Amino acid sequence: MPADLLRAVWGFDGFRPGQQEIVEAVAAGHDVLAIMPTGGGKSLCFQLPALMREGVTVVISPLIALMRDQVRALRAAGVEAGALTSGNTEAETDAVFQALGDGRLKILYMAPERLASGGTVNLLRRAGVTAIAVDEAHCVSQWGHDFRPDYLRIGELKRTLGVPLAAFTATADAETQAEIVTRLFDGRPPETFLRGFDRPNIRLAFQPKDGPRRQILDFARARRGQSGILYCASRARTETLAAALMAEGLEAVAYHGGMEADQRRHVEARFQQEDGLIVVATIAFGMGIDKPDIRWVAHADLPKSIEAYYQEIGRAGRDGDPAETLCLYGPDDIRLRRTQIDEGLAENARKEADHGRLNALLGLAEATGCRRRALLAYFGEEMVEDCGNCDICASPPKLFDATQAVQKALSAMLRTGEWFGAGHLIDVLTGNATEKVRARGHDQLPTFGVGQDLARGQWQAIFRQMMGRDLCRPDPDRHGALHLTQAAHPVLKGETQVVLRHDPAARTKSANVLRTQVAEEDEPLLSALKAKRRALAEAQRVPAYVVFPDRTLIEMAERRPQDLDEMAGIAGVGAKKLDSYGRAFLEVIAGDVPDMHPARMKLAGRPAGALFDRLTETQIRLMRGENGTEKPLSCSTSQLRRIAEARPGDRDALARHLDAPRLDRFGDAFLDEIAAAG
């Protein structure tokens, strides 16, 4: 039966490796999790079973373009299919509802956002849904690279409809697989198929940025006439690079989430129909194009993780013919990705995991041996031999034994309490006695100056590659300070050798140097302060600058106030904003903050505040008199505030604020404190 349908509908004489048993399990009504490489024929594994059973199969997918392509292909093959997405025209949506009402539809594609609508479940009940398929199932995982909150509703949909569910993804590490099972299958393990991640027809290559526009243009020119995708980190960059490619006589067009739906559909149609078109797309938006003959995929900027990288390059060579990739990376990319993690509103455990994932991608970029072995090892697969189809296999990098240098770096981290970033640690290692180094006594450490044999740029490359080996990670709880991982301890003890590559990036400069707002050392704290500002602004529904402008946060990051008095001295922190936001931002910088009485708060940052504190201490000392035997007596905080502000110079002036008993008890001592305060 499956083989007959395969031939009759799709025109194939046989299944690809691994497809048939997945099709049979889904058709039998089993809950299924299938992890298959892009181009491995995932869609057939839920489309064919849909034709083998009664009722409608609903397919949840986040990629509107891909849904449209698959619906178009199914209809061309004679299968009744439709999609409900935000990209539909009114006529398209009406046609889908009509087909559902007539009982003609077999496969209904739906964006996950549709599940938020109250009427969706009733619609699916009336339509006679008998199975659910989830494409891009990794989107359900908050640990994955493309989390979609609406995917969390799918498990409830399965329980409500009481139907089997089949989940498909091309990329999922162990953590993500476990969360898919928890979220979609209520923790009950489905029948799982792991079909491997290797795409041997795709050539892997990374290059440090050295004039990235020229590098991209050279790569594209050498592949003139071939269909390709160029991924960028921003919408603006897609426009400028598409224009640059066009200026070189190459057919190119931008594609990003800021375009109108009609514009995106026009680009999709061109890409499907034209040979040799280059689509320049944002990484965040993604290209869900079902096009088998994409010959190359390039990244003008570093992706967010290995999972994202693998999925994006997987769109090349889906026909099995040779395809090529190129990923450019540089220090600006790494800084951007770190900042995006640090400024996010995720829990610190999630940020820690995201830094680990970014480390893994840096490890792939800085690999010392076969890239494919490193890529597959990340997904738990082992290659016996090098692939022979990556840039490192073709041209191995120069390596050196970096064990001693790495041990020095790890020791510097430990001796400074794992409270500092790479910039400060390099100052310690190279013997650069900055004000910050001296203030903390780090110029007295045994590690001070032990790395003078290496230049600062070499140390930066070593720290970057150490993170790529996951020997250290930025700690979100400590504003990006580097801390050792478990993998670092055998290195520190001399049990494990570390071989690194001579850094090619150290000999080059980025064409677009990022003008940072603060020193590298203060960037993680500035990111944390911006995240706090964003959360407060969103809660109050005001622009971020209404809370504090950037220049105020920059001064906070550089001066690092430790109490509300110091916070009040930051430019832009007036009395009202100190009262409204002072504690919240101070907690980001200094941790828990003691409570401050409102009367004292009014004096924060002023000399009167320090005098108020001394008067309070004096009052406590004399509350029962000089020898501690008299009747308790005290002043109100309002009295103390007025005295601190007025600074009376004699008993007569002080008598305006205190009655006779209090003047007798505290007068002389208060006047002494006022005189001492100048």
Side-chain angles (χ1 to χ4, degrees), residues 499-559:
V499 175
L500 300 180
R501 52 193 285 165
H502 284 289
D503 181 36
R507 300 191 299 272
T508 65
K509 292 184 178 179
S510 172
N512 298 310
V513 178
L514 186 65
R515 299 299 195 273
T516 55
Q517 295 177 296
V518 294
E520 179 184 359
E521 199 66 27
D522 297 322
E523 284 177 2
L525 177 54
L526 180 60
S527 293
L529 293 170
K530 286 183 176 180
K532 172 58 70 175
R533 178 179 67 177
R534 175 181 159 199
L536 291 170
E538 288 181 354
Q540 297 172 29
R541 298 184 178 181
V542 298
Y545 69 82
V546 170
V547 177
F548 284 125
D550 276 358
R551 64 177 178 273
T552 298
L553 299 190
I554 290 169
E555 188 173 338
M556 287 184 195
E558 291 174 338
R559 290 177 53 181

Side-chain angles (χ1 to χ4, degrees), residues 164-232:
L165 185 146
F168 298 84
T169 182
T171 169
D173 59 14
E175 270 182 317
T176 303
Q177 290 179 41
E179 193 166 1
I180 290 172
V181 172
T182 299
R183 300 284 190 186
L184 297 185
F185 301 100
D186 292 329
R188 291 188 289 274
E191 194 168 342
T192 301
F193 300 88
L194 182 58
R195 287 292 166 255
F197 293 92
D198 193 13
R199 296 283 305 283
N201 63 311
I202 298 179
R203 185 179 188 274
L204 307 178
F206 281 73
Q207 285 181 14
K209 287 186 176 180
D210 181 15
R213 178 177 295 202
R214 174 188 53 77
Q215 289 170 287
I216 289 296
L217 292 178
D218 288 348
F219 184 81
R221 269 197 304 264
R223 290 149 187 83
R224 187 182 296 273
Q226 296 180 3
S227 296
I229 302 175
L230 173 60
Y231 283 108
C232 306

